[in-house]
Amino acid sequence: MNVVIIGCGVVGAAIAYELSLIKGLKITVCDRQPPAQASTGAALGVLMGAISQKIKGKAWQMRQTSIQRYETLIPELEALTGRKIPFNRQGILMLLSDSSLEKMSAWEKLVEIRHSQGWDLEIWDTAKLQNICPQVGSKKVTRAVYSPQDRQIDPTALTLALVEAAQQNGVTFKFGVTVLDASTSTPEFCNQLETTEGKITADCFVIAAGLGSTPLTAKLNQIIDIRPVLGQALQVRVGHPLGNPDFQPAITGNDVHIVPVGDGDYWVGATVEFPSNGDEIPPNQELLESIREQAIAFCPELATANILRTWSGLRPRPEGRPAPVIGKLPGFSNVLLATGHYRNGVLLAPATAYAIREMIISQGMGSGELGRSKGSGGRGQGGE
């Protein structure tokens, strides 16, 4: 069976790798850019699973599936490719500046729920926080929630390793290839794509192209409306680890992430900027500066850090529906969507790959119903 995946960010690459483990599939991935560009290349890779407020349904299930899969996936990929994938196993620490009784009882309830689900979550008072993470110096921080089983990963290193491992398993990758048109053999069966490299035929097409998914679905007269939301981040150099060099979790608070990336360097981000008119979003320098100032308020030592680089990327946010969009393209039996992950593409990539794999296995594409998998993520907290 021929499967073509369009898009090679972290989601497309994860799907390609998971499908490469199934016998009897011939898989081709095409992208108009090299892998891990667009939103994947800009992401911070903070995987907020247990610490997220999602507690049931598809939204929690996908998070849980992904966090569990990462524990086996990273060693698997490293062994296959010989690449080192920076993967921070020291958890996520969320700083709280509002410890009102209402807020704290909500966190205490989440701790109980996670415990019943088999996950650890701890609430730290300021004394414990100061003892374990002395770099946190803000008077406004009144408590912290520590999630030892959540993770942070380098999204680009992960994607490149997924591509290399998939290649070793026989997947063909075509970069610098743009899809020009799509044609159908019957009203609900897409049989080939017209590309800048000629025609590509397949039994099944998976659209994992983020913001590029909208023009692709338009070619099949079924527009999935995905809009850009800009995020800016920066890399700073302190020159030494903040606080305890042996305990360097990703720190987050007020939706600002401080991510240790080794050698005394930290990623700080990210802004959330919506288009004001049309799809153009010029990066707002003041917003990036306010993110930096918030990070300094949490960890005052960051004030002396040198800014090494700044960057931005566009996140794909589905318009008028929850993120992500996973399932069949309406009206088609053999076109699957795995797109619109908004701020959780890296977090949800493994679960998305599983969902697509199940749809393809469950009924061998093109023969009847495929089974639906609708994700839900909404506009809430992003792991980036």
Side-chain angles (χ1 to χ4, degrees):
M1 190 169 113
N2 278 335
V3 178
V4 169
I5 299 162
I6 305 146
C8 196
V10 66
V11 172
I15 293 168
Y17 176 67
E18 285 300 344
L19 292 183
S20 78
L21 303 175
I22 301 172
K23 294 227 173 352
L25 294 184
K26 182 169 182 291
I27 303 154
T28 305
V29 181
C30 53
D31 198 313
R32 60 189 176 199
Q33 305 180 89
Q37 304 295 304
S39 46
T40 296
L44 301 181
V46 179
L47 310 177
M48 297 174 81
I51 209 165
S52 83
Q53 300 290 339
K54 308 290 181 190
I55 54 172
K56 59 183 194 295
K58 198 79 184 169
W60 162 243
Q61 212 46 59
M62 286 190 75
R63 277 174 160 77
Q64 177 168 253
T65 297
S66 281
I67 294 287
Q68 288 169 334
R69 175 60 174 135
Y70 270 121
E71 294 304 304
T72 58
L73 180 62
I74 301 311
E76 204 173 291
L77 292 173
E78 289 184 336
L80 261 171
T81 64
R83 288 173 177 267
K84 186 84 191 85
I85 304 167
F87 185 51
N88 187 339
R89 290 181 170 85
Q90 295 193 315
I92 294 176
L93 182 68
M94 183 179 285
L95 308 178
L96 306 178
S97 46
D98 177 1
S99 64
S100 63
L101 285 174
E102 190 186 346
K103 276 278 167 67
M104 288 320 298
S105 69
W107 279 110
E108 282 158 8
K109 192 172 174 202
L110 184 66
V111 169
E112 279 176 34
I113 290 167
R114 289 293 181 246
H115 194 71
S116 73
Q117 292 170 332
W119 295 85
D120 291 331
L121 216 51
E122 304 166 11
I123 295 175
W124 294 358
D125 60 18
T126 45
K128 184 166 186 177
L129 178 62
Q130 272 304 294
N131 185 34
I132 300 175
C133 290
Q135 70 267 38
V136 177
S138 171
K139 299 275 185 286
K140 287 185 179 162
V141 175
T142 48
R143 290 273 199 293
V145 179
Y146 177 56
S147 179
Q149 290 156 297
D150 282 332
R151 302 285 180 252
Q152 183 275 332
I153 195 161
D154 183 314
T156 299
L158 166 65
T159 305
L160 295 177
L162 285 163
V163 168
E164 191 177 317
Q167 276 173 326
Q168 285 185 26
N169 290 345
V171 175
T172 303
F173 287 85
K174 295 174 181 283
F175 298 116
V177 174
T178 303
V179 176
L180 303 171
D181 209 354
S183 54
T184 55
S185 55
T186 68
E188 61 164 41
F189 194 85
C190 175
N191 61 333
Q192 69 177 17
L193 300 177
E194 185 75 54
T195 76
T196 46
E197 254 199 14
K199 291 180 170 57
I200 299 178
T201 59
D203 303 299
C204 168
F205 295 92
V206 181
I207 298 176
L211 287 163
S213 303
T214 300
L216 273 172
T217 56
K219 295 180 198 313
L220 293 163
N221 300 316
Q222 289 287 348
I223 297 183
I224 301 297
D225 189 3
I226 295 173
R227 310 271 178 95
V229 177
L230 184 87
Q232 298 183 75
L234 37 94
Q235 180 166 342
V236 300
R237 174 160 293 165
V238 183
H240 57 85
L242 296 171
N244 178 353
D246 297 323
F247 184 62
Q248 293 285 301
I251 293 178
T252 184
N254 199 21
D255 216 12
V256 171
H257 303 307
I258 302 165
V259 178
V261 288
D263 300 327
D265 285 9
Y266 291 81
W267 288 345
V268 176
T271 64
V272 179
E273 303 172 51
F274 291 86
S276 47
N277 50 2
D279 277 353
E280 285 303 303
I281 320 174
N284 182 327
Q285 279 310 112
E286 286 173 16
L287 281 178
L288 184 59
E289 182 53 29
S290 73
I291 292 275
R292 191 176 84 92
E293 284 167 8
Q294 175 76 80
I296 291 168
F298 288 146
C299 298
E301 231 181 315
L302 288 172
T304 60
N306 295 319
I307 298 174
L308 298 185
R309 64 183 181 116
T310 64
W311 70 92
S312 66
L314 297 171
R315 313 171 180 95
R317 181 175 169 269
E319 183 63 22
R321 65 191 288 176
V325 182
I326 301 171
K328 277 197 299 184
L329 180 67
F332 286 87
S333 63
N334 72 325
V335 180
L336 298 179
L337 299 165
T339 188
H341 287 72
Y342 188 27
R343 303 178 67 189
N344 289 306
V346 183
L347 170 61
L348 299 180
T352 301
Y354 273 173
I356 294 296
R357 186 192 67 182
E358 287 313 304
M359 288 180 218
I360 287 175
I361 289 174
S362 67
Q363 295 195 342
M365 290 296 307
S367 56
E369 271 302 295
L370 240 166
R372 282 173 170 66
S373 168
K374 286 279 182 277
S376 62
R379 293 181 63 159
Q381 246 168 7
E384 304 294 354

